[in-house]
Amino acid sequence: MSKHDKSNVLRVVICGLVLYMCTVIFLNRFPSSDHLFSTCQTIKSSNNNVAETNISHLVFGLMGNEKAWHHRKHYVEAWWRPNVTRGHLFLDVPPIGDDLLPWSLNSPPYRISEDIPKLLKETGHDDARVLRIVHGIMEVVREAREDQVRWVIMGDDDSVFFVDNMVDILAQYDHNKYYYLGGHSEFILSNYWYSFNQGFGGAGIILSYPLAKAFANNVMSCLKRYAHLKSSDRTIMLCVADLGVNLSPLQGIHQIDLRRDISGFLSYHPKSLLVSLHHYDMVNPIFPSMNRAQSGFHLQNDAKYDQSRMLQQTICHHRSQSWTFSVSWGYSVHIYETIMPRSWIQRPIETFQKWQRSPRPPHYMFDTRNPSWHPCEAPHVFFLKSVEKMQSGEIVTTYTRGWPRGIGACSSSGNYSAEYVSEIHVYSSATKRILIDRCECCNVTHETGSNKADIKCSYGGGLDSSTNLELLELDIVDGLLYPGEDKSEIYCWIDVDYVAVDLNLLKESEISAYKMSPPIRGKRQKRKRDRSLGIGVCHFRLLMKSLCSFGYGGMQWIHSIKMWIVEHLYQRPTLTRFDPERFNRINDYEERMEKYKCPKEIGDWVKLFRSLTIDKITWNLHWFPWRQVIHSSVIRPFLLLMGIRDVQPYVPLRVLRQLGKRQIIPIMENMTEFIFEVRPEIPLLEDLAQQI
Ligand SMILES: *[C@@H]1O[C@H](CO)[C@@H](O)[C@H](O)[C@H]1NC(C)=O
Ligand SMILES: *[C@@H]1O[C@H](CO)[C@@H](O)[C@H](O)[C@H]1NC(C)=O
Ligand SMILES: *[C@@H]1O[C@H](CO)[C@@H](O)[C@H](O)[C@H]1NC(C)=O
Ligand SMILES: *[C@@H]1O[C@H](CO)[C@@H](O)[C@H](O)[C@H]1NC(C)=O
Ligand SMILES: *[C@@H]1O[C@H](CO)[C@@H](O)[C@H](O)[C@H]1NC(C)=O
């Protein structure tokens, strides 16, 4: 082999290294969740003589059971207003025990559900639990008797309702018409398992009174028709559909099909009136320093002052220190030490866990982002402490720090630590925040350099869009993509901000790969067809994460290089069988490396490279399923490939023909801005390569 060949090999090796380190990702788009964010239709009665809907027009039917009521009564008493809210709690058996009897005046009055065994017999239904709930609607209607009922609300005993908001929403609908309002599950698979057209009952199903009456009149035939169904919510949905009515989803109704710490969800609530929080028993107490019952009272106490702002997110940027505030009114405040785009911090942080096992993303009905411990990404977290009304009518909510963040300041946006901030006051106006067409904005009043751990946010009207956009232009571009002098941070920033947007999607979406038919060009080619093509998918996120945690030149780089070498310079006696269940070969590379003797010294590496000949290189990633090629990102017709010294855009779409696929010529945008050199001061080793 000539010298020239060798240097070519080396160059190819280096080239491949760059290619390999980088990744080829094709990302699926999330299922659009736009419909979730549409505001509720305003379908008001055209009859102006009809009085506004108020709380007296609502009748509640809460389906509980005696056993759980002993502790759940606290959740309901937190929102129930004795002698104001109407309705009943339906228990399976009469209550017993000193804690329940005599019956608390703060609890809803109770009724015992009708004779279930008898109803089971009459209807031929085979699930007592389902029957009791479905038949419960009829019992609520029967109990409601009195006139002036406009809406019937069915719920569970482990739900917290926000009644004023409910009234405000229902006032926008014509109660003389048939309406079936409810919420989806947050967990996509639940909707798939049950139905995307059903209201998840625990969180509240709202029927207009005419519909509830029609339902009640037909409940026996409904139970007979769907006698074998194991889901009450689904049965209700089917019977309502039989009456000619379909679900109108409401966004503020929350089934909370989530587990553990839902603070990330509650801190980034969509801009819609909060109606309910269900599964209160299934998640951690929502305030970390309180138990569930206390948390419920704490939240409802706050709701007494202003339900319309409850959990509504307000975002403000504090220019001089490059901080971003995200207020979830009445619940939490998060401070970021960098200017973040609004769209990004509207995504809930995935502090919670999945409701059920879900092998593959997408798991949730909304966008999420991952918790991070990067100083520029991790928020300082504050929770509601108290609320009070000022003489001026303004409402002040006070939030105190949940825990010290303790990971240093975000240096790329000026190194202004918010660690010393211990208390935040948010001033909001006395008027309800209903039907504001866009976000409310807040001004942060805080003196730079002040030791006072006190920040005041005051709400104003809408967004001052010109200031906001100017901020974004200056700080997002300069601050995030080019974080100061410390160029090594670029990778981390690309991680969080640029590619990262994609990376985060990666977790949430299946890598959907393009199926290709094998190119058949004679026998020789055919024999090789189990071999994959030379485009690899490495687990980008993992790699990027390691880079960020170890920094430029850290251990993980070495690992990545080793990985590349193991894949390409190690001749395997047999082909690895591709197993679609285990497509992530990055995680098990150590196992495969066992047989490979890695050179130790630099001299050994040089020797190895010098001795390389074409036949000693494995030209493909043999574990990569070659029929699947990932060739573009969701957003752009190219991919960003990360190398040791730079990041380059790469357009695999341009070589589709080589991959046996129909060639498409992509329309290219100017890719110059996607080229980053990490260490431009280090000279290229081209000359050196030529000498070898
Ligand atoms: C609700 O409106 C009705 C008239 O439809 C009225 O009689 C009732 O007093 C009102 N209730 C409340 C709590 O305002
Ligand atoms: C509710 O009304 C009843 C009778 O009208 C009264 O005895 C009771 O004290 C009231 N309860 C509350 C909590 O005001
Ligand atoms: C950031 O500030 C801290 C404390 O003031 C200081 O110790 C650290 O050196 C600063 N870092 C940079 C990169 O300026
Ligand atoms: C916020 O600050 C701007 C500029 O200083 C001012 O015009 C605006 O009225 C302030 N808004 C509030 C709610 O204080
Ligand atoms: C591409 O963009 C760069 C700056 O981002 C600019 O200098 C260059 O002229 C552009 N090229 C074309 C062909 O527009």
Side-chain angles (χ1 to χ4, degrees), residues 365-602:
M365 293 288 284
F366 47 85
D367 297 347
T368 60
R369 63 198 153 111
N370 287 312
S372 160
W373 287 104
H374 191 287
C376 302
E377 268 190 289
H380 295 265
V381 178
F382 300 75
F383 287 101
L384 178 82
K385 182 179 141 210
S386 61
V387 52
E388 62 180 314
K389 194 162 190 161
M390 315 253 289
Q391 272 187 338
S392 61
E394 266 188 322
I395 294 159
V396 191
T397 41
T398 301
Y399 306 80
T400 51
R401 181 177 280 279
W403 46 81
R405 197 180 68 150
I407 48 173
C410 170
S411 58
S412 63
S413 66
N415 202 18
Y416 295 114
S417 171
E419 198 69 52
Y420 65 87
V421 177
S422 67
E423 191 163 295
I424 296 169
H425 303 282
V426 172
Y427 293 78
S428 55
S429 95
T431 52
K432 275 189 180 180
R433 183 207 184 286
I434 289 182
L435 300 180
I436 290 182
D437 62 334
R438 42 187 181 154
C439 68
E440 256 191 322
C441 280
C442 60
N443 275 355
V444 179
T445 44
H446 168 258
E447 297 305 312
T448 310
S450 154
N451 290 335
K452 242 180 75 206
D454 217 49
I455 287 187
K456 293 182 172 148
C457 293
S458 46
Y459 281 76
L463 184 67
D464 174 357
S465 51
S466 62
T467 329
N468 187 55
L469 293 182
E470 182 199 332
L471 262 180
L472 290 183
E473 270 157 31
L474 291 172
D475 286 349
I476 307 271
V477 177
D478 296 355
L480 299 192
L481 289 183
Y482 301 97
E485 290 306 299
D486 188 2
K487 289 271 168 55
S488 66
E489 269 200 42
I490 283 185
Y491 277 138
C492 297
W493 272 114
I494 289 170
D495 182 358
V496 291
D497 226 86
Y498 181 66
V499 180
V501 176
D502 285 5
L503 294 182
N504 276 297
L505 286 174
L506 178 60
K507 186 176 147 262
E508 299 304 338
S509 61
E510 211 174 339
I511 294 179
S512 155
Y514 263 61
K515 295 242 183 316
M516 300 200 323
S517 48
I520 299 171
R521 292 194 221 103
K523 272 189 182 149
R524 214 179 129 73
Q525 205 76 22
K526 241 180 172 172
R527 263 214 313 274
K528 280 190 172 181
R529 87 177 186 195
D530 281 338
R531 297 209 151 205
S532 61
L533 294 163
I535 291 185
V537 174
C538 63
H539 204 305
F540 210 33
R541 188 193 193 22
L542 188 94
L543 201 57
M544 293 294 244
K545 273 267 150 65
S546 346
L547 292 177
C548 287
S549 47
F550 288 89
Y552 180 81
M555 273 298 291
Q556 296 300 310
W557 277 106
I558 308 290
H559 276 185
S560 310
I561 293 168
K562 275 196 206 157
M563 267 161 58
W564 181 83
I565 286 165
V566 167
E567 291 302 341
H568 291 280
L569 303 187
Y570 176 45
Q571 306 274 307
R572 277 166 199 74
T574 54
L575 286 173
T576 309
R577 257 189 64 174
F578 172 65
D579 171 359
E581 293 303 309
R582 293 182 63 199
F583 72 90
N584 179 5
R585 294 280 169 172
I586 303 299
N587 287 344
D588 65 4
Y589 84 98
E590 300 228 21
E591 187 188 308
R592 282 172 297 130
M593 263 180 69
E594 270 170 17
K595 294 206 185 85
Y596 184 71
K597 274 201 241 114
C598 238
K600 289 201 172 56
E601 305 292 327
I602 291 180

Side-chain angles (χ1 to χ4, degrees), residues 71-261:
H71 75 277
R72 288 183 172 175
K73 73 174 203 169
H74 301 294
Y75 312 156
V76 172
E77 287 186 355
W79 64 267
W80 186 260
R81 298 180 204 168
N83 289 355
V84 177
T85 34
R86 294 167 58 185
H88 292 95
L89 167 75
F90 287 81
L91 291 176
D92 47 349
V93 293
I96 41 171
D98 290 346
D99 57 332
L100 295 190
L101 294 173
W103 192 252
S104 164
L105 287 176
N106 294 321
S107 289
Y110 73 87
R111 294 284 181 271
I112 307 302
S113 292
E114 225 178 277
D115 188 348
I116 300 300
K118 181 167 150 266
L119 287 171
L120 285 174
K121 218 178 204 168
E122 281 176 34
T123 56
H125 206 287
D126 47 31
D127 191 318
R129 207 183 43 86
V130 170
L131 178 134
R132 186 165 91 87
I133 294 174
V134 175
H135 196 263
I137 296 183
M138 184 273 205
E139 294 166 48
V140 174
V141 171
R142 194 175 58 194
E143 288 294 331
R145 263 172 296 178
E146 310 126 273
D147 51 5
Q148 303 244 355
V149 178
R150 294 185 182 180
W151 298 93
V152 171
I153 296 129
M154 301 297 297
D156 278 5
D157 56 349
D158 61 337
S159 295
V160 177
F161 286 125
F162 295 84
V163 181
D164 293 340
N165 284 343
M166 211 177 252
V167 170
D168 284 334
I169 290 170
L170 295 179
Q172 294 167 35
Y173 290 85
D174 183 349
H175 58 273
N176 294 309
K177 296 196 168 141
Y178 276 19
Y179 277 112
Y180 164 45
L181 307 168
H184 291 122
S185 169
E186 290 79 5
F187 183 64
I188 288 187
L189 282 181
S190 288
N191 297 298
Y192 171 71
W193 289 328
Y194 295 98
S195 171
F196 281 91
N197 292 324
Q198 86 171 33
F200 280 70
I205 287 178
I206 306 177
L207 303 176
S208 59
Y209 190 58
L211 175 60
K213 258 197 331 209
F215 189 97
N217 290 340
N218 291 288
V219 74
M220 293 304 275
S221 72
C222 158
L223 286 167
K224 283 180 198 155
R225 254 196 323 280
Y226 303 108
H228 305 295
L229 221 56
K230 300 284 179 228
S231 154
S232 52
D233 295 343
R234 188 127 187 273
T235 306
I236 293 170
M237 184 263 287
L238 294 175
C239 293
V240 167
D242 292 344
L243 295 170
V245 182
N246 297 109
L247 179 75
S248 306
L250 279 189
Q251 246 214 102
I253 293 186
H254 297 298
Q255 172 78 358
I256 308 291
D257 277 348
L258 304 170
R259 289 185 193 269
R260 303 176 82 103
D261 173 11

